[in-house]
C-alpha cells in the first residue's frame, strides 16, 4: 500500500482516560470541591488534537465497559477520531482517572488513579494488523509499556508497523505512577526508542530512558545509531530542539502565554507538531506550531477540549512574528 492510499495519517496507541480538573483553582486539592470531567490520557489528547487540526486519526486502546468508557468513546468519535480499533474490556477493569491540582500557574500536579485500569489490559491479539497497515504512522505512548499485557500489545503493534512500512513515533510520556522501577522503565523505553523513527520527549523523560542524567548530544548520538531519523527534545518554557539524522538542529522558541496550568503542554505540542510535519511543513515551522498550540492549551482549563484550531495557532504565530 503506498503512503497516498493510506486511510489514516496517524494511529495512536495507549490510554484514553478521564481528567478531573480542579474547578476552584489556585488552591491545593485538599481545598478543592469541584472538578470538571474531560477525556484525557496523553495519546488520546494527541489523537483528539491532531484530528481537530485535520489529520485522519485512529486509536488503539482498551476502555471500560461502563459510563466512563462510553463517554470516552463518544467524545473521541465526535472529535473525529476513528474508534474502531478501541476494544471494550469485559473483565471489570476501570478507567484511569487523573485529578489535577492547580495551586498556581507554575505549581501544578496530577494525582493519578491507575490501579486495574482497562488501558493496561490491552492484549496483543486485540491489535489488528489490517488496521495498522492503513496508517502512515503509529504513535506509541510510553505509559502503555508499563505493564503486561499492554506492553506486549505495543510490541505487536510495532511488529505490524515495521512489516507494512508504517513509521513508528514514540512519545515517551513518562508517568511515575504506573512504573515499578527506573530500570524497568529504562529497559522498555530503550527497546522501543531504538525501533522508533521519530522520538519525542522532555529532557527528563530522555534521562529516564537512559537511566542517567544525559545531554541532548549524547542522546541523539545514541538514537541515531538505531532507527531514528528525527528526535524532538522539549525543555519547557526554554523551548524545544529537533535533531535530524543528517545533522540539522532546529530550536523552537516557546510563546508567552497567560498560563492557567502547566499540564497539557506536551500533548498539544505533539498534536500540532505532527500535524504540521505530516502536512509537509518544514521542521522549524512544525516546532513553532507545536509551541503555539502548547501556549494556547496552558492558558485554558482542559487539555482535550482546549486543543486549538489551525486558525488559532497561525494567529498566535503571526502575532509574534
Ligand atoms: N508555561 C508555558 N508557556 C508557554 N509555552 C509552554 C509553557 N510550558 C511549556 N510550553 C511549550 O510546550 C512545549 C512542551 O512543554 P514541556 O513542559 O517541555 O513538555 P511536557 O508538557 O510534555 O512536560 C515547550 O517546548 C513549550 O513550547
Ligand atoms: O496523560 C494523562 O493521563 C493525563 C492527561 O490527560 C493530563 O491532562 C496531562 O497530564 C497532560 O499533560 P502533558 O503531558 O503536559 O500534555
Amino acid at each position: 500500500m503506498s503512503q497516498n492510499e493510506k486511510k489514516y495519517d496517524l494511529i495512536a496507541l495507549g490510554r484514553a482516560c478521564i481528567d478531573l480538573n480542579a474547578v476552584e483553582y489556585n488552591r491545593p486539592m485538599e481545598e478543592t470541591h469541584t472538578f470538571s470531567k474531560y477525556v484525557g490520557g496523553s495519546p488520546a489528547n494527541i489523537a483528539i488534537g491532531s484530528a481537530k487540526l485535520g489529520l485522519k486519526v485512529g486509536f488503539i486502546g482498551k476502555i471500560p465497559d461502563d459510563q466512563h468508557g462510553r463517554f470516552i468513546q463518544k467524545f473521541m468519535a465526535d472529535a473525529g477520531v476513528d474508534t474502531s480499533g478501541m476494544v471494550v474490556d469485559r473483565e471489570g477493569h476501570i478507567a484511569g482517572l487523573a485529578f489535577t491540582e492547580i495551586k498556581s500557574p507554575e505549581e501544578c500536579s496530577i494525582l493519578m488513579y491507575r490501579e486495574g485500569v482497562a488501558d493496561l489490559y490491552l492484549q496483543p491479539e486485540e491489535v489488528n494488523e489490517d488496521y495498522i497497515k492503513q496508517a502512515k504512522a503509529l504513535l506509541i505512548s510510553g505509559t502503555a509499556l508499563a505493564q503486561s499485557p499492554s506492553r506486549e500489545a505495543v510490541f505487536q503493534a510495532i511488529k505490524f508497523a515495521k512489516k507494512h512500512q508504517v513509521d513508528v513515533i514514540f512519545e515517551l510520556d513518562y508517568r511515575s505512577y504506573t512504573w515499578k522501577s527506573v530500570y524497568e522503565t529504562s529497559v522498555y523505553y530503550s527497546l522501543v526508542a531504538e525501533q522508533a523513527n521519530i522520538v519525542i520527549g522532555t529532557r527528563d523523560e530522555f534521562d529516564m530512558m537512559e537511566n542517567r542524567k544525559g545531554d541532548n548530544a549524547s542522546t541523539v548520538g545514541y538514537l541515531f545509531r538505531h532507527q531514528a531519523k528525527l528526535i524532538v527534545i522539549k525543555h519547557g518554557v526554554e523551548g524545544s530542539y529537533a535533531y535530524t539524522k543528517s545533522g540539522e538542529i532546529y530550536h523552537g522558541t516557546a510563546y508567552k502565554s497567560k498560563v492557567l496550568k502547566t499540564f497539557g503542554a506536551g500533548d498539544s505540542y505533539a498534536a500540532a507538531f505532527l500535524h504540521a510535519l505530516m502536512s509537509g511543513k518544514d521542521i522549524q515551522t512544525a516546532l513553532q506550531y507545536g509551541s503555539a498550540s502548547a501556549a494556547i492549551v496552558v492558558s485554558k482549563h482542559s487539555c482535550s477540549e482546549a486543543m486549538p484550531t489551525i486558525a488559532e495557532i497561525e494567529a498566535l504565530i503571526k502575532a509574534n512574528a
Side-chain angles (χ1 to χ4, degrees), residues 86-101:
M86 288 172 89
V87 183
V88 177
D89 175 87
R90 303 289 175 199
E91 294 171 326
H93 298 117
I94 57 173
L97 303 179
F99 289 88
T100 59
E101 176 180 60

Side-chain angles (χ1 to χ4, degrees), residues 15 17 19 21 39-42 45 98 100 110 112 173 175 262-268 303:
R15 69 192 181 286
C17 300
D19 279 355
N21 290 3
V39 168
S42 174
N45 289 336
T100 59
I110 301 180
M112 279 189 165
D173 175 41
R175 308 284 167 164
T262 51
F263 47 85
D267 300 341
S268 47
C303 298

Side-chain angles (χ1 to χ4, degrees), residues 11-300:
I11 292 179
L13 185 155
R15 69 192 181 286
C17 300
I18 303 280
D19 279 355
L20 291 157
N21 290 3
V23 171
E24 304 120 68
Y25 45 86
N26 293 332
R27 65 182 69 176
M29 202 181 296
E30 288 86 338
E31 292 165 27
T32 305
H33 295 274
T34 328
F35 296 85
S36 277
K37 183 177 81 171
Y38 303 101
V39 168
S42 174
N45 289 336
I46 297 172
I48 292 163
S50 50
K52 191 164 173 183
L53 293 170
L55 286 189
K56 288 175 276 165
V57 182
F59 198 84
I60 299 173
K62 200 164 213 175
I63 47 173
D65 183 16
D66 61 14
Q67 294 91 328
H68 289 319
R70 290 188 284 280
F71 165 73
I72 293 166
Q73 192 274 333
K74 182 174 185 316
F75 184 88
M76 291 182 69
D78 289 348
V81 178
D82 176 80
T83 59
S84 63
M86 288 172 89
V87 183
V88 177
D89 175 87
R90 303 289 175 199
E91 294 171 326
H93 298 117
I94 57 173
L97 303 179
F99 289 88
T100 59
E101 176 180 60
I102 309 171
K103 278 193 191 166
S104 75
E106 297 79 34
E107 221 188 330
C108 299
S109 66
I110 301 180
L111 185 59
M112 279 189 165
Y113 284 56
R114 296 212 27 90
E115 203 59 53
V117 289
D119 58 90
L120 290 176
Y121 286 87
L122 181 73
Q123 307 270 355
E125 58 270 33
E126 291 167 330
V127 175
N128 187 318
E129 179 172 0
D130 283 336
Y131 193 55
I132 291 181
K133 191 174 148 182
Q134 296 177 65
K136 291 182 187 161
L138 171 74
L139 179 132
I140 302 291
S141 153
T143 298
L145 289 164
Q147 223 170 276
S148 293
S150 163
R151 176 181 288 166
E152 289 74 21
V154 168
F155 284 102
Q156 181 65 72
I158 293 174
K159 211 166 153 188
F160 289 146
K162 295 283 171 197
K163 182 171 164 193
H164 297 288
Q165 292 80 47
V166 176
D167 274 344
V168 174
I169 304 170
F170 186 30
E171 224 295 346
L172 299 185
D173 175 41
Y174 173 70
R175 308 284 167 164
S176 58
Y177 303 81
T178 336
W179 289 92
K180 291 189 193 72
S181 95
V182 291
Y183 290 93
E184 186 191 29
T185 313
S186 173
V187 164
Y188 287 100
Y189 268 34
S190 305
L191 276 174
V192 172
E194 288 174 10
Q195 294 190 64
N197 307 107
I198 301 179
V199 188
I200 305 174
T202 63
R203 184 59 253 166
D204 290 348
E205 289 173 330
F206 281 101
D207 289 346
M208 285 304 304
M209 179 189 82
E210 296 178 70
N211 199 7
R212 69 185 181 104
K213 192 106 197 82
D215 58 76
N216 292 1
S218 65
T219 300
V220 303
Y222 153 52
L223 289 177
F224 285 142
R225 285 197 295 278
H226 296 274
Q227 311 245 328
K229 53 187 185 197
L230 177 63
I231 300 165
V232 176
I233 308 184
K234 300 175 288 175
H235 294 257
V237 285
E238 311 283 301
S240 53
Y241 292 89
Y243 299 85
T244 66
K245 190 167 187 155
S246 47
E248 289 109 347
I249 303 175
Y250 303 89
H251 181 231
T253 46
Y255 291 98
K256 278 216 177 349
S257 174
K258 201 169 174 324
V259 182
L260 188 151
K261 43 88 175 143
T262 51
F263 47 85
D267 300 341
S268 47
Y269 176 97
F273 175 79
L274 292 173
H275 172 269
L277 210 61
M278 298 193 102
S279 324
K281 297 205 166 26
D282 58 55
I283 294 173
Q284 186 62 53
T285 307
L287 288 175
Q288 292 315 138
Y289 270 59
S291 304
S293 174
I296 293 166
V297 168
V298 294
S299 74
K300 305 221 170 133

